[in-house]
Amino acid sequence: MSTATKDPKTRGKAPAGEKIADWADGRVGLYSLAKANMRKIFPDHWSFLLGEICLYSFIILILTGVYLTMFFVPSMAEVEYHGSYVPMQGVMMTEAYASTLDISFDVRGGLLVRQIHHWAALIFVVGIMFHMMRVFFTGSFRKPREINWLFGWTLFILAVFTGLTGYSLPDDLLSGTGIRFMEGAILSMPVVGTYIQMFLFGGEFPGHDIIPRFFVIHVLLLPGIMLGLVAAHLILIIYHKHTHFAGPGRTNDNVVGMPFLPIYMAKAGGFFFLVFGVIAAIAATATINPVWVLGPYRPDQVSTNAQPDWYLGFSEGLVRMMPGWEWVIPGGYTLNFGLMIPLAVFPGVLVLIGLYPFFESWLTRDNREHHIAQRPRNAPTRTGLGVAWLVAYGVALVAGGNDVWAVNFNLSINAITWVCRIGFFVFPVVAFVITRRICLGLQRRDREKVLHGRETGVIKRLPHGEFVEVHEPLPREALYTLTAHDQDRPAELGPETDENGVRRKVSPLERLRVKISRGYFGEQAQIPKPTSEEYREITSGHGHH
């Protein structure tokens, strides 16, 4: 009931909370907003928790980051350390490194909060990657969720660069080595490389501005953009509703699940504290990035085992796999292909990932809305491509730590490098072929289960002496789940001439689309799902035991 219709005599006796709610409703329409959104239905599936892990890790990062910002000094000014860590006393270091030691040894709870922050950052990126994999393999990026895919993809890229800038802030020997590698990669860029380097570092390496600038980027710029993207991402999820997997009663026109209040909210709140507790337990028991062991950064020193975090290992591996090719063009200008090509491949792969939903939409010409998530087996080519990319990423990650592999397993670093160079092109193709064949095999098994039922293990002898295994028909629910998916048909060029006998002009792009479509949805790319006529013929007794 609106506040305007309430009796003035009873209005003043309302509880304080109701008064505040009435006041807010009169200005922002709180009641109508709550009525429209608080009872929204959310599907329930364990894979949806991956997105929640990302959200909760981001919240933990903000909370712990605010605490750390109060004690961190983003300055490259040289000071002599006189803190609690005795081995470093009297050593000259930057204020950034000294304040990191103070946080670790002198600030109450500083080391725990710092480790929670670092572990939460790693889990945040891991969660985004696995969440994107879930969306990709189930086809949840299809219309109308292409924009939300771009939001998540942008969040992943920003999370990587936020991790890079945050990892470099302590100015220890390991992070400084990583910054030096980044500076070399920037300088390899033709024409603009030196300008970008001077703008970013404020002079010759290491300069005096890189830590303060990274601090602003890490604390203000990137988190602000990410906060806006997270809000937009959640708004679109609420607007489009969540995808759900095929099952009885689940269609493209409804959502089957639990209401936001009170059930989903209670579960989400409990899961937040569970995630926070697990991250805190990991941070309290597993040391990460012990900067006091490495010492402050010195340009004339290089830390051993200098490896980037796993999410940047792909770029490091591309550089280590690439031969050191150089061209000296007229004028004495050197083109370093050993860095230029990896720098082109790394963002190129990211762009392909971001644009994939639009590629598949162009390929299928499907303008329908899709709210049913696909089983990966029902999209064999897409699933094979996803696994191939993961294998390529894994090969590059191994190449990024080729020296560590060589030392710990007593192997030749050159042999590892050459295996990775060859495997980067061979292993993804093999993985694609194997994955697609596995998906086709699973599709064939689903078809047999629908038509012939489940094997019971009971052997029956027929009157004429033949032994057969008795099959039990599947329940209606299982039949629906196995047959509810759509199967796209390969595109066709159509007749060569139109109705007037004039030869039709077909663009090369359309011919390419048809060719790719046949590879995606042709006879060799998917097993036709059983039709109702086939099911009735089998179950009527002809050929069914």
Side-chain angles (χ1 to χ4, degrees):
M1 180 166 30
S2 173
T3 57
T5 62
K6 289 184 178 179
D7 187 354
K9 296 181 180 180
T10 61
R11 189 185 309 170
K13 299 179 182 180
E18 185 176 341
K19 290 181 180 180
I20 296 174
D22 289 343
W23 181 89
D25 179 59
R27 288 153 181 81
V28 297
L30 182 64
Y31 291 159
S32 59
L33 185 66
K35 185 178 180 180
N37 295 286
M38 292 298 100
R39 299 294 293 177
K40 272 191 174 294
I41 301 299
F42 283 83
D44 190 16
H45 192 269
W46 68 265
S47 64
F48 300 153
L49 297 179
L50 295 172
E52 294 187 34
I53 291 175
C54 302
L55 176 62
Y56 301 153
S57 300
F58 185 65
I59 295 174
I60 295 170
L61 283 171
I62 293 176
L63 296 176
T64 54
V66 170
Y67 184 82
L68 294 174
T69 303
M70 297 178 181
F71 305 99
F72 182 73
V73 181
S75 172
M76 298 185 71
E78 291 282 331
V79 297
E80 184 177 346
Y81 181 71
H82 297 289
S84 301
Y85 188 61
V86 176
M88 285 290 174
Q89 289 183 357
V91 176
M92 297 298 296
M93 60 185 64
T94 61
E95 288 188 284
Y97 186 77
S99 64
T100 304
L101 293 181
D102 290 338
I103 291 173
S104 302
F105 296 105
D106 296 313
V107 174
R108 186 178 296 274
L111 180 59
L112 177 62
V113 174
R114 182 172 158 264
Q115 296 214 145
I116 290 176
H117 189 76
H118 201 131
W119 278 112
L122 293 179
I123 293 174
F124 178 55
V125 182
V126 170
I128 292 179
M129 186 171 179
F130 276 87
H131 181 57
M132 291 185 68
M133 288 167 55
R134 199 276 303 174
V135 173
F136 178 84
F137 286 118
T138 61
S140 299
F141 54 78
R142 295 173 296 171
K143 184 182 177 180
R145 296 177 177 84
E146 300 96 332
I147 296 178
N148 226 5
W149 168 268
L150 288 180
F151 284 165
W153 173 78
T154 308
L155 276 170
F156 176 71
I157 296 176
L158 293 180
V160 168
F161 283 101
T162 305
L164 172 64
T165 53
Y167 186 77
S168 305
L169 287 180
D171 199 30
D172 60 284
L173 187 57
L174 182 60
S175 65
T177 303
I179 295 178
R180 187 58 186 264
F181 172 84
M182 182 188 71
E183 191 239 6
I186 292 174
L187 287 175
S188 70
M189 299 172 64
V191 183
V192 299
T194 54
Y195 295 98
I196 296 176
Q197 189 275 343
M198 293 296 290
F199 171 78
L200 189 61
F201 288 86
E204 294 291 336
F205 183 85
H208 300 284
D209 300 327
I210 188 64
I211 296 299
R213 290 177 178 176
F214 270 15
F215 180 77
V216 173
I217 294 172
H218 180 76
V219 174
L220 293 177
L221 180 61
L222 295 182
I225 299 174
M226 292 171 68
L227 192 61
L229 287 173
V230 167
H233 190 73
L234 294 177
I235 289 172
L236 282 182
I237 288 177
I238 294 174
Y239 177 73
H240 291 145
K241 301 181 179 60
H242 213 301
T243 57
H244 52 185
F245 287 91
R250 300 176 183 177
T251 68
N252 271 319
D253 302 321
N254 68 353
V255 180
V256 179
M258 302 173 299
F260 182 73
L261 277 178
I263 299 176
Y264 186 82
M265 194 64 181
K267 294 179 66 175
F271 190 57
F272 167 74
F273 288 107
L274 178 63
V275 172
F276 204 151
V278 170
I279 293 177
I282 295 174
T285 56
T287 301
I288 189 171
N289 197 21
V291 295
W292 55 88
V293 176
L294 303 166
Y297 177 68
R298 290 288 181 268
D300 58 339
Q301 299 178 10
V302 175
S303 173
T304 57
N305 296 342
Q307 310 295 324
D309 281 334
W310 68 270
Y311 46 82
L312 283 173
F314 180 81
S315 60
E316 177 91 5
L318 291 175
V319 174
R320 296 195 183 193
M321 286 190 295
M322 185 66 194
W325 294 341
E326 292 182 352
W327 282 2
V328 179
I329 61 177
Y333 194 88
T334 302
L335 297 179
N336 185 354
F337 290 101
L339 282 172
M340 286 176 55
I341 293 179
L343 285 178
V345 172
F346 180 62
V349 171
L350 293 178
V351 169
L352 290 177
I353 294 174
L355 296 180
Y356 183 84
F358 303 95
F359 164 76
E360 191 165 307
S361 176
W362 166 77
L363 186 66
T364 60
R365 299 283 174 88
D366 186 1
N367 293 320
R368 298 172 299 167
E369 289 192 359
H370 296 275
H371 303 289
I372 298 291
Q374 292 178 307
R375 303 170 79 196
R377 68 184 64 181
N378 293 328
T381 303
R382 182 208 299 149
T383 302
L385 289 174
V387 173
W389 181 87
L390 292 175
V391 170
Y393 174 83
V395 172
L397 193 62
V398 171
N402 55 3
D403 54 338
V404 178
W405 289 97
V407 170
N408 286 279
F409 292 95
N410 196 25
L411 299 172
S412 167
I413 190 171
N414 291 327
I416 295 175
T417 302
W418 273 104
V419 168
C420 291
R421 285 175 178 173
I422 299 172
F424 186 76
F425 297 97
V426 175
F427 294 163
V429 176
V430 175
F432 171 80
V433 173
I434 293 176
T435 302
R436 194 163 81 157
R437 289 186 65 87
I438 291 174
C439 290
L440 292 175
L442 293 173
Q443 282 190 359
R444 194 174 288 109
R445 188 190 69 172
D446 289 346
R447 177 182 171 86
E448 292 296 320
K449 288 172 65 176
V450 169
L451 294 178
H452 299 286
R454 182 181 62 85
E455 297 178 355
T456 62
V458 177
I459 305 299
K460 180 180 179 181
R461 185 177 182 180
L462 300 181
H464 59 276
E466 180 185 1
F467 289 91
V468 296
E469 183 178 12
V470 178
H471 287 208
E472 179 184 2
L474 295 180
R476 289 289 179 181
E477 295 80 3
L479 290 174
Y480 181 86
T481 301
L482 294 179
T483 58
H485 62 280
D486 295 327
Q487 284 191 322
D488 293 291
R489 295 182 179 181
E492 300 291 342
L493 286 176
E496 295 185 359
T497 58
D498 59 17
E499 62 276 8
N500 299 319
V502 179
R503 187 175 182 85
R504 297 172 56 249
K505 292 183 179 180
V506 181
S507 66
L509 188 62
E510 179 63 16
R511 294 183 184 276
L512 177 64
R513 188 185 77 86
V514 170
K515 188 173 183 180
I516 298 176
S517 177
R518 289 172 180 170
Y520 258 73
F521 311 114
E523 294 181 359
Q524 304 300 321
Q526 59 183 356
I527 304 300
K529 67 177 185 179
T531 63
S532 55
E533 291 78 11
E534 290 176 317
Y535 179 76
R536 282 194 295 268
E537 180 180 356
I538 290 292
T539 55
S540 63
H542 301 289
H544 181 71
H545 301 291

